[in-house]
Amino acid sequence: SFVKPDAGWKKPRRIQPTPYRLETEEKISSAACGYGFTLLASNTTDITKVWGTGLNKDSQLGFQRSRRDQTKGYDYVLEPSPIPLPLEKPQQTRVLQVSCGRAHSLVLTDSEGVFTMGNNSYGQCGRKVIEDEIYSESYLIHQLKEFDSRVVQVACGQDHSLFRTKKGSVYACGWGADGQTGLGHYNITSVPTKLHGDIAGVNIIQVSSYGDCCLAVSDEGDVFGWGNSEYLQLASVTETTQVNVPRHLPFKIGKIKEAACGGTGNAVLTEEGNIFVWGYGILGKGPNLTETAVPEMIPPSLFGWSDFNSDIFVAHIRCGLGQFAALTNRGELFVWGKNLRGCLGTGRMEDQYFPWRVTVPGEVVDVACGVDHMVSLVKSF
Amino acid sequence: MRGGPGSSPCTSRGGGLVARVPRAVETEAETRRPDPPRGRESLTDTGPAPSGGGALELVPTRVPVLADHPLVQGPRFRRLKIGAGHRLDVKASGVFVLGIGHGNKLLTDLYNCHLTKVYTVGGLFGKATDDFSDTGKLIEKTTFDHITREKLERILAVIQGTNHKALLMYSNIDMKTQEAYELAVKGLIRPMDKSPPIITAIRCLQFALPEFQLEIHCLHETQQYLRKVVHEIGLELKSSAVCTHVRRTRDGVFTLDDALPRTQWDLRSIQDAIRNCQLKVETEIEKTLGHRDNSPVHQLDVQTAESAEGGHP
């Protein structure tokens, strides 16, 4: 049964179709949406740095002690609750970033490496797979420190994890049947291992993954991909449906600044501020474009660009499983894709076939997309 | 028609102008006869021929044709039907479209095109009045030193964003179609029916505390709504603002250049203006209403007029 959360005056509702303000004790600097759960992190030096809410059946939110029975934990967390991290210096370390996958989460700190928790059946938490391990109500939070340099970004795919280090190399662990670990085989990896292939020696500045496909951007503006290609995500370089070694994607669309990988579709942001999409699904160019192997540009006029306002461009791009979110330099949020249970925030329940502005009472600083929900960090005017 | 709807002092400008223009046209038409007076040839008897013989001779002479005489013909323009386009407040100035005679039908077509209008709105920070303009009763005074151009532009971006959503919503297009996507890319989605006032674009032209000037492109608005927008901008910036002037610089296809100032409210200029704008109006109606109705557009015969900038220096 459910225990009523502290904010008992709030009526529970199944669907939230428009942005809803979540009150938090601290200023949140990073948010991540998993498959049915959310992690919020603040870069404070206080003891409580990360809060989690949502599904906790695999302890992806750590151990949440039940109030009724001190020995048991909650399987569902109904409001942002603190996640205790086993930090050596809890009052000095800061949490830089959080990332969530299907049933596991990663917390990146500035001096104590990466903490992983949740399901480890495929080694996605970076520790050895224990047969018949029970993941619910588990206290285990694993710490990963053995990388060639400090980890500066973490990204979670569905059942695998990617780590990007300061030196520009990428490490991966977890499920590899689609080649998403990029290590040259299709087995699971339970220890973070460095990737080679076309990214060997390349300084990678960003990695992204959410489903079974992965993209990495180098400092020179090239994009590399590996993993699942059943939806033409990597069809520009190969006919096979799985790619297990990072391959350079030879797109002639200009220098790429940021990439975002969704479940079936991918998007990149170029230096000029244009978005290119490819893959399968609702890509953002109307209902007629459902799949393409070659990136297609989304007309900037859909983001508010016009002769009247010619200095508007897209600053960030993010992907959820079936939806995309773009942030413009004016702090506006545009979403498109499948509107599962109102996750786009447009107020309507229909799918959105081209970028649509979401009314948010403030400037949107960052956004995180999940399967059927989205979280945005907003600065008030 | 003279007093406009209601008897409040803030009546629309249409009544007065609509009465003045036909009078100007009629009186001028009477005093100026553009065509040279016609003459006709007729044969008259002159009397006995000089060469003698007693027979009468016919000599051709030129005799004025009385059919052209003003007393016979009567006034050239009688009872001109003049209709007004989009309303303009007494306190506002700018382009005001009138239609003469057959042009009234074009006015309805232009109304159905739902084209945007462009206004230049001037505002003043620090005061708030009851009717949002600087001539109203003062309600409160506030400080405004904290306002910067960046803050103003952020608020303008928000206004534009929310109105952009309203634009798409009221246009009644099914968002799921490819057609909707294509119109959205071109920026042609706009409500073709009644809708609340929508601002399609807004930007800051000048900013010199406490004054500022905005350029607003809008649909289905009233000038009072624009003054209210200025007031609300003041509130959003945690201060207050009043509107000093509202000037319409474009109404659909008619811009300031096409408009006639008060000194040119005479027959010749009106006719020239009609001729110059005829093509523009035709193409716009054709483009927007297109194949829906053919007759008024193709039969039109130069009868749309424009009128002038009203007072308020």
Side-chain angles (χ1 to χ4, degrees):
Chain A
S1 65
F2 293 91
V3 173
K4 280 210 164 76
D6 282 340
W9 51 269
K10 289 187 196 164
K11 260 178 44 180
R13 62 214 109 136
R14 298 195 63 219
I15 292 195
Q16 178 60 45
T18 46
Y20 163 79
R21 169 100 193 268
L22 199 63
E23 299 282 347
T24 54
E25 286 136 20
E26 297 265 2
K27 197 173 110 160
I28 303 293
S29 60
S30 167
C33 291
Y35 288 39
F37 63 103
T38 320
L39 274 187
L40 306 167
S42 157
N43 63 352
T44 170
T45 46
D46 289 351
I47 307 242
T48 312
K49 302 172 204 287
V50 187
W51 293 263
T53 173
L55 279 181
N56 198 25
K57 284 202 145 266
D58 290 294
S59 300
Q60 53 263 62
L61 304 175
F63 184 77
Q64 301 287 332
R65 195 180 299 277
S66 162
R67 260 170 268 160
R68 284 196 304 176
D69 184 350
Q70 298 281 338
T71 54
K72 297 233 174 53
Y74 283 131
D75 274 343
Y76 301 94
V77 180
L78 297 180
E79 55 171 0
S81 309
I83 297 177
L85 294 173
L87 295 166
E88 272 175 23
K89 304 198 180 83
Q91 277 161 330
Q92 283 175 31
T93 320
R94 289 182 198 265
V95 169
L96 297 176
Q97 194 211 336
V98 279
S99 185
C100 303
R102 180 188 61 87
H104 70 296
S105 352
L106 303 179
V107 177
L108 173 66
T109 58
D110 59 353
S111 53
E112 295 196 34
V114 183
F115 289 89
T116 66
M117 45 198 168
N119 192 305
N120 193 43
S121 2
Y122 310 113
Q124 60 264 49
C125 285
R127 57 187 169 88
K128 197 151 163 292
V129 181
I130 300 169
E131 271 198 40
D132 299 328
E133 183 179 349
I134 300 173
Y135 297 106
S136 71
E137 298 177 17
S138 157
Y139 288 86
L140 189 52
I141 297 184
H142 189 68
Q143 189 181 14
L144 292 168
K145 286 207 265 202
E146 289 87 34
F147 297 96
D148 62 0
S149 49
R150 192 165 67 85
V151 178
V152 287
Q153 191 204 344
V154 287
C156 282
Q158 192 162 351
D159 279 311
H160 70 290
S161 314
L162 297 172
F163 309 86
R164 175 174 71 86
T165 64
K166 202 153 174 216
K167 283 200 185 153
S169 45
V170 180
Y171 286 72
C173 63
W175 180 242
D178 276 329
Q180 58 263 56
T181 45
L183 295 169
H185 57 76
Y186 293 112
N187 309 323
I188 55 179
T189 315
S190 47
V191 171
T193 320
K194 193 160 160 175
L195 267 69
H196 297 285
D198 284 357
I199 60 173
V202 177
N203 186 12
I204 300 290
I205 55 166
Q206 197 233 341
V207 286
S208 167
S209 179
Y210 202 70
D212 288 327
C213 180
C214 313
L215 285 181
V217 178
S218 74
D219 55 351
E220 289 175 7
D222 297 316
V223 68
F224 301 82
W226 65 97
N228 191 6
S229 180
E230 285 167 16
Y231 303 101
L232 308 179
Q233 290 109 317
L234 306 172
S236 52
V237 283
T238 174
E239 293 268 316
T240 57
T241 48
Q242 275 89 16
V243 177
N244 60 5
V245 170
R247 296 285 303 274
H248 173 236
L249 302 175
F251 296 141
K252 305 255 181 310
I253 52 182
K255 246 180 103 165
I256 292 171
K257 218 166 64 162
E258 215 175 278
C261 245
T264 56
N266 299 340
V268 287
L269 172 67
T270 58
E271 290 262 300
E272 295 108 47
N274 288 322
I275 303 261
F276 285 78
V277 287
W278 76 100
Y280 172 81
I282 299 180
L283 297 174
K285 289 191 73 160
N288 286 359
L289 185 71
T290 48
E291 63 173 8
T292 166
V294 178
E296 300 225 0
M297 185 168 91
I298 295 199
S301 55
L302 289 171
F303 297 111
W305 182 93
S306 66
D307 298 322
F308 199 59
N309 292 322
S310 51
D311 57 352
I312 290 191
F313 59 89
V314 179
H316 295 287
I317 175 85
R318 303 267 183 270
C319 268
L321 203 63
Q323 67 270 47
F324 299 79
L327 291 181
T328 62
N329 59 332
R330 294 263 183 105
E332 299 189 324
L333 174 63
F334 286 83
V335 294
W336 66 100
K338 278 209 87 61
N339 195 10
L340 262 188
R341 301 185 199 100
C343 64
L344 291 182
T346 54
R348 302 187 348 250
M349 302 302 290
E350 291 102 39
D351 300 335
Q352 185 58 35
Y353 290 90
F354 55 90
W356 179 276
R357 190 184 178 276
V358 177
T359 313
V360 179
E363 258 182 63
V364 182
V365 170
D366 200 7
V367 71
C369 302
V371 172
D372 56 4
H373 72 297
M374 264 201 225
V375 169
S376 58
L377 303 179
V378 171
K379 196 170 101 149
S380 69
F381 287 127
Chain B
M1 181 153 73
R2 201 159 281 263
S7 54
S8 60
C10 214
T11 53
S12 103
R13 192 179 283 287
L17 255 184
V18 173
R20 281 184 63 183
V21 170
R23 248 184 298 147
V25 168
E26 283 163 12
T27 47
E28 207 190 304
E30 280 178 23
T31 52
R32 244 181 12 102
R33 289 277 151 189
D35 306 324
R38 288 183 285 168
R40 72 178 161 89
E41 303 240 330
S42 91
L43 301 171
T44 47
D45 295 329
T46 43
S51 51
L56 288 171
E57 238 189 43
L58 289 174
V59 176
T61 48
R62 200 155 185 90
V63 170
V65 168
L66 287 174
D68 280 339
H69 199 270
L71 289 173
V72 170
Q73 272 206 333
R76 242 170 124 207
F77 295 109
R78 263 201 309 188
R79 274 193 268 185
L80 277 176
K81 285 206 175 63
I82 297 202
H86 294 109
R87 251 177 245 161
L88 199 62
D89 258 346
V90 167
K91 283 193 278 196
S93 60
V95 175
F96 186 45
V97 178
L98 298 175
I100 296 187
H102 292 302
N104 288 313
K105 288 194 212 124
L106 289 175
L107 275 183
T108 34
D109 288 333
L110 277 178
Y111 178 76
N112 291 331
C113 280
H114 300 281
L115 301 165
T116 54
K117 299 186 251 321
V118 179
Y119 288 83
T120 312
V121 174
L124 196 69
F125 284 120
K127 292 202 292 187
T129 56
D130 58 349
D131 67 351
F132 313 134
S133 76
D134 53 351
T135 52
K137 186 171 113 153
L138 192 62
I139 305 261
E140 73 172 349
K141 277 183 141 176
T142 55
T143 56
F144 47 82
D145 320 313
H146 58 277
I147 301 178
T148 62
R149 193 169 179 148
E150 285 79 41
K151 289 194 191 153
L152 179 65
E153 301 209 324
R154 247 190 287 166
I155 302 290
L156 296 184
V158 171
I159 294 179
Q160 211 163 336
T162 43
N163 276 275
H164 179 66
K165 246 185 87 167
L167 192 72
L168 296 171
M169 258 174 37
Y170 281 103
S171 60
N172 275 339
I173 300 185
D174 187 5
M175 288 294 152
K176 296 207 191 118
T177 57
Q178 183 68 15
E179 187 198 326
Y181 164 70
E182 264 151 35
L183 284 177
V185 173
K186 283 190 245 167
L188 287 182
I189 292 191
R190 52 173 196 267
M192 297 303 268
D193 287 325
K194 272 200 209 288
S195 84
I198 294 184
I199 296 181
T200 55
I202 181 168
R203 69 178 169 156
C204 179
L205 291 175
Q206 280 176 35
F207 183 82
L209 281 176
E211 292 173 2
F212 64 99
Q213 226 184 50
L214 304 171
E215 184 182 315
I216 305 183
H217 296 227
C218 40
L219 280 174
H220 304 163
E221 81 301 340
T222 55
Q223 283 76 43
Q224 192 61 10
Y225 176 76
L226 295 176
R227 294 192 189 97
K228 189 162 164 226
V229 165
V230 170
H231 176 249
E232 282 172 2
I233 289 177
L235 290 179
E236 277 290 319
L237 288 167
K238 303 183 179 63
S239 173
S240 55
V242 290
C243 175
T244 46
H245 66 270
V246 176
R247 187 175 181 240
R248 181 148 71 198
T249 49
R250 186 169 69 81
D251 184 343
V253 282
F254 303 103
T255 59
L256 274 184
D257 304 320
D258 306 319
L260 301 170
R262 202 196 283 262
T263 49
Q264 287 181 20
W265 288 1
D266 50 65
L267 181 65
R268 174 103 292 176
S269 336
I270 292 180
Q271 283 183 329
D272 288 338
I274 294 176
R275 219 166 285 134
N276 291 337
C277 291
Q278 181 188 3
L279 189 62
K280 271 203 287 190
V281 170
E282 261 188 56
T283 44
E284 188 62 42
I285 295 187
E286 189 81 59
K287 197 167 72 160
T288 316
L289 298 177
H291 29 271
R292 254 197 268 168
D293 48 19
N294 292 310
S295 29
V297 177
H298 295 299
Q299 284 175 14
L300 84 80
D301 199 19
V302 198
Q303 299 283 342
T304 312
E306 281 171 80
S307 186
E309 279 198 50
H312 291 279

